[in-house]
Amino acid sequence: MKAIQYRAYGDYQENRVVEVDRPRPKDGEVLVEMRAVGVNPLDNTFRSGHIYMSTPDNLPRIGGQTGVGVVVETRSADLKSGDRVFVRGPGYGLVADGTWREYVTAPANALAQVPADVDDDHAAAYLAGAGYLTGYLALTELARFKRGQTVLAPAIGSAVGMETVQIARRLGASLAISTASTTEKAERAREDGYEHVIDLSKESLKDGVLRITEGKGVDAVVDGVSGKLTGQALAALAFGGSVIVAGYAGGRQAEVDVTDIIWKGATIHGFTFRLFAPHILAAANKAILGYLIEGALKPKIGKVFPLTEAADAVRYLIEGRPYGRVIMQVQHPARAV
């Protein structure tokens, strides 16, 4: 079967199409024919060698952290052939072979069925980037969010930005604010119903937040951008507010005014899924799947690539900074049109 495998750390072209053996399910497992898979910034971080897991003994590695597929063989009573499922697992694409392949085996009790009214591409977009799960955990577990509070999640086109805004709305935020780097993106977001988007080409993040909140600042920031926006985010906090740093798409270096931390009584959290016990992650996934089923979450697709163009797909995510998720479709010879 075809897979996208890293055999060395380096540029986008290390996303190589290879032939590997089709896996066989063990007791309690199912074999899933993958249909669509997500592209995540962490896929790029790992392959480029910029994370602690990028070690010589962790190669070769099949990439991909999430995806959607159909059960074609089962050795479990929990799932039957023909069931559509979300596919993800601990360390997929990082310390264990991931979803960027034609077939994946996984424990049946670790998978969830895809709602019937969500197509494969949008189901893959729901998982891609882990924005919904990140936003939910950041707000409920770290920021201790309360209904009626205000939330800022910069970068409306990104997974963390867009999807945290949707989560904040569902949790009852009085204001859910984001940013856009260009007027075009800001206008597109407003057309999609995101009312409070700060156009950073026209005003600073701090000025925009203070304008929208009438000088009060925000109670929680879920920041997947960092870099030069980190200091602005701290400056835009209300007293007693929290900043949860969940990514660094805007850079790893930040300049902050420490008085914004001291005088605001601010709390700063670093976000990693390793913070949360398995039962917390399971409960969070159950909650957001419920939100998806009820229609509160609207996964957005930025662009679709075939699996065989993985290098271009990752490059587009990192350099193109799309509005919406990047996914790859997995074509199988019997299904190819």
Side-chain angles (χ1 to χ4, degrees), residues 58-75:
N58 201 16
L59 291 174
R61 178 66 61 220
I62 294 172
Q65 296 164 60
T66 61
V68 171
V70 176
V71 175
V72 293
E73 183 180 342
T74 180
R75 297 188 65 178

Side-chain angles (χ1 to χ4, degrees), residues 105-134:
T105 54
N109 60 12
L111 304 180
Q113 294 198 44
V114 178
D117 60 349
V118 180
D119 64 38
D120 292 341
D121 288 355
H122 284 87
Y126 164 74
L127 293 183
Y132 289 121
L133 186 58
T134 297

Side-chain angles (χ1 to χ4, degrees), residues 242-258:
S242 299
V243 173
I244 295 91
V245 182
Y248 40 87
R252 300 182 180 201
Q253 303 298 317
E255 292 186 6
V256 303
D257 184 336
V258 294

